[in-house]
Amino acid sequence: MPDALLAEFHVLREEFSRFMFAYKFGMDEVTTKVSILQQEFKHLQKYNPIEHVASRLKTAESVLDKIARKQCEPRFEEIRAKITDIAGVRVTCSFTSDVYLISDALTRQDDLTVLQRKDYVAEPKPNGYRSLHLIVEVPVFLSSGVVDVPVEIQIRTVAMDFWASLEHKIFYKYSGDVPPHIARSLQEAATTAARLDDEMESLHHDVHGALPPVPVEMANGSIPIPDAVLARFAQQRVTFAPLI
Ligand code: 0O2
């Protein structure tokens, strides 16, 4: 390979690496935010709405596939603007109401900008897919300056997650061309999963009742804590012992 071409290749590889690292850092920022919420809920509110959290970076191959599919020009700026799911964080919650609880807790954070919100829980896809999707932009502070990085956040219940992971496997097994009888069965399974979510939510409500949300201002101590919330703390036996 001629020297000039080799040098160009090295520069490009380094730029690509820098580009992908920004997504990794953006993903880490969002994962940290989710982890803080998870710990706060668990230790301070004695209720943990989050079952698990996973994150992934798209592979270079998958980014290239998407560049071709979206007819995106192979320039970093254009890729950052058009391909917004290079970094992804998936939050799996216990109940449907938790999906919105987590979405609200994240989107009211000042340093996150919501670029897109798709509510496939309220309006499932025709195949039965349900999840709440957010594309948020998070600032990443590098030694050279700040980069705003888009991160896709998928928030769903355990039942939605179970269905989606099975459907994903079936979709790939048939290369996207799922036979009609299997597509029908998947739709029925999605309806069953949605019913299960409704039943579990109602059971949860019967057992724990509807808890009043803690106002944002209370977290910074700027308003007095109302009696109802104090009663709720007492009811849940919240202790103020050190967390670690
Ligand atoms: P992967 O491997 O999970 O990343 P887009 O093509 O993403 O620009 P789209 O399709 O409008 O635009 O985005 P949408 O609807 O927000 O979906 C993006 C992601 O949601 C997908 O990413 C899947 O992870 C998930 N998803 C969406 N629809 C379905 C579905 O019907 N079944 C399952 N199992 N997952 C779904 P990727 O890139 O397809 O895959």
Side-chain angles (χ1 to χ4, degrees):
M1 194 186 283
D3 283 355
L5 202 59
L6 199 61
E8 206 178 306
F9 177 77
H10 277 296
V11 170
L12 192 64
R13 199 178 62 170
E14 201 163 297
E15 274 185 39
F16 185 72
S17 206
R18 192 177 292 275
F19 176 78
M20 290 304 282
F21 260 109
Y23 284 95
K24 186 206 173 301
F25 300 144
M27 192 174 79
D28 290 346
E29 290 279 358
V30 172
T31 309
T32 301
K33 284 175 179 297
V34 176
S35 166
I36 289 172
L37 287 175
Q38 191 172 21
Q39 292 183 56
E40 189 215 326
F41 274 114
K42 192 166 157 199
H43 297 291
L44 297 175
Q45 304 207 32
K46 292 287 185 241
Y47 171 69
N48 183 11
I50 298 174
E51 293 288 334
H52 38 256
V53 183
S55 58
R56 67 102 184 90
L57 270 188
K58 263 197 189 304
T59 58
E61 194 189 3
S62 170
V63 174
L64 288 173
D65 275 356
K66 207 151 188 179
I67 290 174
R69 195 149 47 84
K70 293 217 152 193
Q71 296 179 338
C72 172
E73 275 204 38
R75 286 186 298 109
F76 289 121
E77 267 165 54
E78 172 115 354
I79 299 171
R80 182 166 289 142
K82 287 203 172 155
I83 302 180
T84 47
D85 65 344
I86 293 177
V89 176
R90 183 172 294 152
V91 185
T92 308
C93 297
S94 318
F95 302 102
T96 308
S97 55
D98 296 334
V99 168
Y100 295 101
L101 181 72
I102 295 303
S103 162
D104 290 349
L106 283 171
T107 55
R108 45 168 194 248
Q109 300 190 9
D110 290 345
D111 54 344
L112 284 191
T113 307
V114 180
L115 300 180
Q116 191 186 76
R117 182 178 187 275
K118 286 190 196 166
D119 190 349
Y120 296 127
V121 178
E123 281 183 58
K125 282 192 159 184
N127 63 355
Y129 177 79
R130 293 184 308 137
S131 258
L132 182 68
H133 289 192
L134 301 170
I135 307 283
V136 298
E137 199 167 57
V138 61
V140 168
F141 294 87
L142 300 171
S143 59
S144 52
V146 62
V147 194
D148 290 319
V149 179
V151 178
E152 183 187 69
I153 310 177
Q154 298 182 350
I155 316 175
R156 50 172 73 153
T157 63
V158 179
M160 294 173 200
D161 192 50
F162 181 38
W163 184 92
S165 87
L166 180 64
E167 193 268 354
H168 194 256
K169 283 179 195 147
I170 292 174
F171 188 85
Y172 276 97
K173 178 169 164 50
Y174 290 102
S175 311
D177 201 8
V178 180
H181 69 285
I182 293 187
R184 249 192 326 275
S185 294
L186 275 170
Q187 273 171 348
E188 283 164 17
T191 308
T192 308
R195 200 175 317 121
L196 180 66
D197 269 335
D198 288 348
E199 281 170 19
M200 296 308 259
E201 178 92 47
S202 133
L203 198 60
H204 172 63
H205 191 279
D206 288 350
V207 173
H208 297 284
L211 299 175
V214 177
V216 178
E217 295 81 355
M218 203 177 293
N220 60 25
S222 64
I223 58 167
I225 304 171
D227 290 349
V229 176
L230 278 177
R232 171 186 159 190
F233 281 156
Q235 177 199 339
Q236 295 196 344
R237 294 190 298 282
V238 171
T239 59
F240 294 96
L243 301 182
I244 41 173

